[in-house]
Amino acid sequence: MGEAAGVAVGAVLVVGSINVDVTAFAPRAPQPGETLSGDSFELQLGGKGANQAVAAARAGATTHMVGCVGDDAFAGLVTSSLGAAGVDLEHVRTVPGHTGVAHIRVVERGENDIVVIPEANAALDDAQLERAFAALAGTARVLLTQLETPFATTLVAARLAREAGMTVILDPAPAVPLDDAIWPLIDLVKPNETEASLLTGIEVDSRESAERAGRWFLDRGAGAALITMGGEGSVLVTAGSVTLHEALRVDVVDTTAAGDAYAGHLAASIARGLPIDEAIRRAGAAGAITVTRRGSSSSVPTAGEVDALLG
């Protein structure tokens, strides 16, 4: 991770999910069996991979997306949105069937719950990864990946990135038990407190417990762990230090895609060669801006907006 400092800017390669987000806004969540009138509705690009690719591109990085969409009506919506954000789509493959879908409910105070149906995302395979890495290994400096695509392909992507000398960032969401073979391939793992708790078995509710969870990842071979805790900031755990990064205080409207904005700006900053503390500062600002807006990919800020907030 520290190797990036002082080196020429490289690209970010995002391997992950591409979904259409169907979002309903309501004053509260309905009770089982209840029909509730909502406030508004949105249909837009989503998926953790796609959101993070948009974030990296808006942060100023040359960004390549590796993923799959279906051959349905939603495919054009999501690919055109990715392209409009400046994401390279050469390694996005169209497969028979439906594009992935996320059904999102956003209620009072911006909290959300999400049901994801993977559909085309499940078709991402080793051959597609190998083609992408063969084409991009000379220019991409950072791999950013998540867990909304099959874990076996995530593991292959991490191995290919390690062989290419790239910095490997894993956003382990949605959190599920993982084969320990993944951790020695990861330079930086970025779970939130809920994901860290599920993965490590340590209840993360403070800086001290976040540090213990971070050590769990390092003990299994990860290079560093960055535990994000929403409004409580984030804790970076490395072999030699533990640092707390305070959160910026904002009025929360919708938390959807905040973690993805954080991850994408973090990856772009590392690819740009910024020190890790500065990369985290910019990522935190990106997440803070995102929660003040409704929507998923559409709420992700640009580098200029991050500059303005930090300025």
Side-chain angles (χ1 to χ4, degrees):
M1 190 165 49
E3 296 171 359
V7 184
V9 174
V12 175
L13 193 164
V14 180
V15 173
S17 56
I18 305 171
N19 293 334
V20 60
D21 280 358
V22 181
T23 306
F25 296 88
R28 63 175 175 81
Q31 298 298 315
E34 178 187 14
T35 299
L36 180 70
S37 294
D39 300 325
S40 61
F41 163 82
E42 290 182 357
L43 183 70
Q44 61 177 273
L45 171 69
K48 297 198 72 65
N51 289 342
Q52 292 178 13
V54 167
R58 288 186 179 159
T62 299
T63 305
H64 304 272
M65 181 80 217
V66 183
C68 295
V69 297
D71 57 3
D72 57 358
F74 287 147
L77 183 156
V78 296
T79 54
S80 62
S81 296
L82 279 166
V87 178
D88 180 83
L89 303 178
E90 182 178 355
H91 299 284
V92 172
R93 184 164 61 102
T94 300
V95 299
H98 294 292
T99 299
V101 175
H103 178 238
I104 305 171
R105 296 186 306 183
V106 180
V107 298
E108 190 177 5
R109 297 184 304 279
E111 294 302 319
N112 64 28
D113 57 65
I114 305 173
V115 177
V116 176
I117 303 95
E119 296 290 354
N121 293 304
L124 181 63
D125 59 24
D126 295 358
Q128 185 177 351
L129 291 176
E130 288 164 1
R131 288 192 297 271
F133 276 90
L136 300 171
T139 57
R141 157 177 273 171
V142 173
L143 167 68
L144 176 57
T145 191
Q146 323 78 30
L147 298 176
E148 283 186 345
T149 50
F151 176 70
T153 56
T154 302
L155 191 59
V156 170
R159 285 175 175 152
L160 290 170
R162 177 53 60 88
E163 290 168 3
M166 298 166 63
T167 295
V168 182
I169 302 174
L170 173 65
D171 182 7
V176 293
L178 299 178
D179 188 324
D180 279 351
I182 189 71
W183 303 121
L185 302 173
I186 304 302
D187 293 295
L188 178 63
V189 57
K190 187 210 76 66
N192 64 23
E193 68 268 48
T194 301
E195 294 149 3
S197 299
L198 289 168
L199 288 164
T200 68
I202 298 166
E203 183 178 355
V204 177
D205 56 8
S206 65
R207 174 181 176 172
E208 292 72 25
S209 55
E211 179 181 349
R212 292 197 300 275
R215 294 287 176 210
W216 186 95
F217 292 110
L218 268 63
D219 288 346
R220 283 153 183 78
L226 178 59
I227 316 296
T228 62
M229 298 185 293
E232 301 305 311
S234 57
V235 176
L236 176 67
V237 182
T238 69
S241 67
V242 179
T243 52
L244 174 66
H245 296 263
E246 300 286 352
L248 295 167
R249 299 299 172 186
V250 295
D251 293 326
V252 177
V253 173
D254 178 7
T255 58
T256 306
D260 296 332
Y262 187 113
H265 276 259
L266 180 73
S269 297
I270 291 172
R272 190 172 136 195
L274 295 180
I276 185 60
D277 286 346
E278 177 64 13
I280 292 171
R281 181 169 175 262
R282 295 189 65 81
I289 294 169
T290 301
V291 301
T292 66
R293 302 167 172 174
R294 283 188 167 189
S296 45
S297 60
S298 62
S299 66
V300 174
T302 64
E305 290 172 315
V306 169
D307 291 338
L309 179 61
L310 293 177

